[in-house]
Amino acid sequence: MRLDESVARRLRSPDFDRWMRGVSATGYCHNPVRLVGSSTTLHETSGEVLSEYASANESDGVTFTRCGNRRSRRCESCSHEYKGDTWHMIMAGAAGGMKDVPEQVAEHPMVFLTLTAPSFGAVHTTASDRRVGLCEHGRPTGCRCHHDIDDTQRGDAVCEDCYDYVGHVVWQYHAPELWRRFTIRLRRELARSLGLTQRAASRIVRLQFAKVAEFQRRGVVHFHAIIRIDGVHPEHPFPAPPTAVTTAHLLSAIGAAVRSTRTVAAPLPGEERGRTLVWGKQFDARAIVRRDDSYRNLGESSESLDSGPLSDRAVAAYIAKYATKATEDLEPTGAGRAHIKRIKSTVRELAATIDVEGPYGQLQRWDGMLGFRGHFSTKSRRYSVTLGSLRGARRTWRLQRLLEAARPSDDITADEVLVLGSWAYAGMGWLTDGDKALATNAADAARQWRDQRARDRRNPSTQRSTR
Ligand SMILES: [Zn+2]
Ligand SMILES: [Zn+2]
Ligand SMILES: [Zn+2]
């Protein structure tokens, strides 16, 4: 069937409105999961049936539900929802005052840290170095080209023959371990900066982290992290530390920990000794201060991250942006670049020579991630709320709306009901190309409407009349 016929058939169908409500219920997901089955909502104590739902009663006999994919190229809608959740999670831990995290967390000593990888050889950068000579291959030992920020050459090795691709991959493969060592080191250094033993310090302070990994142009990850000091309390989940514990203690501990963290990689085949892995000399640690008056434009803070203390909200917005952007960034910037291809082929070459039972056994799985096997966004248990609890809250909210619709007179909360369901997977995606085109158009319209609303909220003076 031709696309326009397929679209027309849906538009003319008597249950078009109902179908469209189903589309909107998936949040205009690009590739929804199709389910068949039914569920019954019961009152938990009385067993009374409050509502019944069956996919058989839907227009095509199936129920559509979100795909939940985090990548915007796969599903704009679901990645948007995930971004929103990640943003709330990170923001709640830095600024408090939402989702069960008290506002006082914003007053705890808190630092925004960026950790980089060391150099594996000169790459093209925006900063031009005049003092460069020539390498044994007759190429410059540094970049002196004055590149623009969006120059496609930026991040490429100046000399591919000099660049240590193996060192690059080995470091990247161990980056999560290096981070883990850093956190252990940091606890020790914090105790030292407080003049306490580690044991004594652990009774009064606890470190919380939220970190994201981001690929730099040179194809190596760096980490952005929010590090917060909490106190210790048997009942409260986010206690304040003793007032004598300050951001200055945290900053000095971070500096010492960054400089002293190291781990030794397992030797590669043919190597006598493993490489010693450290952080790059360039790291940036800055105090995060609470700044209520900067609370204007959450998503797109224009506050500079280049200098001075940072506001909690600017940092959370920045870090949350990377929490979801990171994995997607690589492909567009990496596509076609010889430097990135060379990193990938180095991963594959190493993977082909190693023992799959050995310490590099996982390497073969990660050539697409240039050898990085970590998560792009992680946090300590008590940093903030969990993504799961946000999803749970949203489910409860939806259930509550459903209950209100079903039983307008009753006062039943979502806690008191039990949902019994039996569902089976029936496939992925909209049923026809026509349905997909309609869902995509509806998604675009919804997005434009949302963006316009956001613009109107920011600039009330230029608000367009909507009627
Ligand atoms: Zn989706
Ligand atoms: Zn250059
Ligand atoms: Zn060279």
Side-chain angles (χ1 to χ4, degrees), residues 182-197:
F182 165 72
T183 60
I184 293 168
R185 196 88 216 173
L186 182 56
R187 288 189 187 97
R188 193 178 308 167
E189 294 294 346
L190 181 64
R192 183 176 300 173
S193 85
L194 294 171
L196 298 170
T197 64

Side-chain angles (χ1 to χ4, degrees), residues 26 28-32 66-69 74-79:
T26 70
Y28 308 101
C29 174
H30 191 70
N31 189 33
R66 281 181 172 283
C67 74
N69 201 299
R74 297 278 174 76
C75 183
E76 181 78 25
S77 163
C78 293
S79 87

Side-chain angles (χ1 to χ4, degrees), residues 173 269 350-365:
Y173 188 69
L350 288 175
T353 62
I354 46 95
D355 171 10
V356 290
E357 305 285 309
Y360 291 93
Q362 298 291 306
L363 190 57
Q364 34 140 357
R365 291 173 53 203

Side-chain angles (χ1 to χ4, degrees), residues 86-263:
T86 304
W87 187 85
H88 275 293
M89 184 272 286
I90 288 173
M91 184 61 105
M98 57 172 104
K99 308 271 183 199
D100 312 329
V101 186
E103 262 180 56
Q104 289 80 350
V105 297
E107 275 144 36
H108 297 193
M110 220 179 328
V111 165
F112 181 58
L113 171 67
T114 298
L115 285 173
T116 61
S119 169
F120 304 103
V123 295
H124 293 285
T125 64
T126 51
S128 164
D129 187 352
R130 272 159 224 240
R131 301 158 301 167
V132 301
L134 294 180
C135 72
E136 57 177 304
H137 311 98
R139 303 190 184 107
T141 53
C143 165
R144 49 187 175 194
C145 334
H146 299 279
H147 299 280
D148 266 357
I149 190 82
D150 38 40
D151 191 324
T152 52
Q153 227 192 349
R154 209 163 54 79
D156 290 357
V158 176
C159 175
E160 281 205 24
D161 298 312
C162 283
Y163 194 87
D164 180 11
Y165 285 99
V166 171
H168 180 136
V169 168
V170 168
W171 189 93
Q172 188 119 283
Y173 188 69
H174 289 88
E177 173 62 12
L178 201 56
W179 170 266
R180 196 181 69 82
R181 301 256 172 155
F182 165 72
T183 60
I184 293 168
R185 196 88 216 173
L186 182 56
R187 288 189 187 97
R188 193 178 308 167
E189 294 294 346
L190 181 64
R192 183 176 300 173
S193 85
L194 294 171
L196 298 170
T197 64
Q198 238 187 302
R199 202 193 168 116
S202 73
R203 281 192 218 109
I204 59 163
V205 289
R206 214 160 268 166
L207 286 166
Q208 305 297 344
F209 309 90
K211 97 170 189 306
V212 295
E214 181 202 1
F215 272 105
Q216 291 181 291
R217 284 283 304 183
R218 60 179 167 140
V220 70
V221 288
H222 62 183
F223 293 116
H224 299 294
I226 292 174
I227 304 178
R228 190 183 73 212
I229 303 182
D230 285 3
V232 176
H233 192 280
E235 285 134 49
H236 296 183
F238 303 97
T243 48
V245 179
T246 66
T247 307
H249 291 117
L250 183 54
L251 281 168
S252 95
I254 286 172
V258 173
R259 283 184 282 265
S260 61
T261 299
R262 57 201 62 231
T263 183

